[in-house]
Amino acid sequence: MMSTTTAPSQPTASSPDAEIADLRARIDEIDSALVDLWRERAALSQRVGAARVAAGGTRLVLAREREILDRFHRDLGPVGTQLGLLVLRAGRGPL
């Protein structure tokens, strides 16, 4: 009886496409989570502003906004500042 050996499996032409599809699916999951978190954060920020005004304070606390922008910049670099500005605007609206 003759034994046959098979060559080690080689990646198929579709494996890069399958990997790309898997990676894109994960990106889509992350995007969905980001949108959910974005909305939650904006709602919380709006509630903080309303509570501050109801207590006789100002709607905005610039020192707090600066802390947030500094943290985003520290964690993400210059693009973090831009992202931080967008996040703040989503919660408080335009200045």
Side-chain angles (χ1 to χ4, degrees), residues 5-80:
T5 59
T6 57
S9 65
Q10 297 294 318
T12 64
S14 65
S15 65
D17 292 336
E19 180 182 10
I20 289 168
D22 289 344
L23 293 169
R24 286 181 174 163
R26 180 62 184 137
I27 288 170
D28 291 346
E29 291 171 359
I30 291 169
D31 288 349
S32 180
L34 286 171
V35 168
D36 291 343
L37 289 169
W38 181 279
R39 288 179 177 147
E40 180 182 1
R41 191 197 187 287
L44 290 169
S45 181
Q46 290 165 2
R47 288 176 57 192
V48 167
R52 287 188 51 73
V53 169
T58 61
R59 183 173 64 98
L60 302 176
V61 177
L62 296 180
R64 171 69 177 151
E65 291 201 357
R66 180 84 255 159
E67 288 174 24
I68 293 166
L69 291 175
D70 288 346
R71 185 173 60 239
F72 272 76
H73 182 80
R74 181 188 67 238
D75 293 346
L76 300 172
V79 72

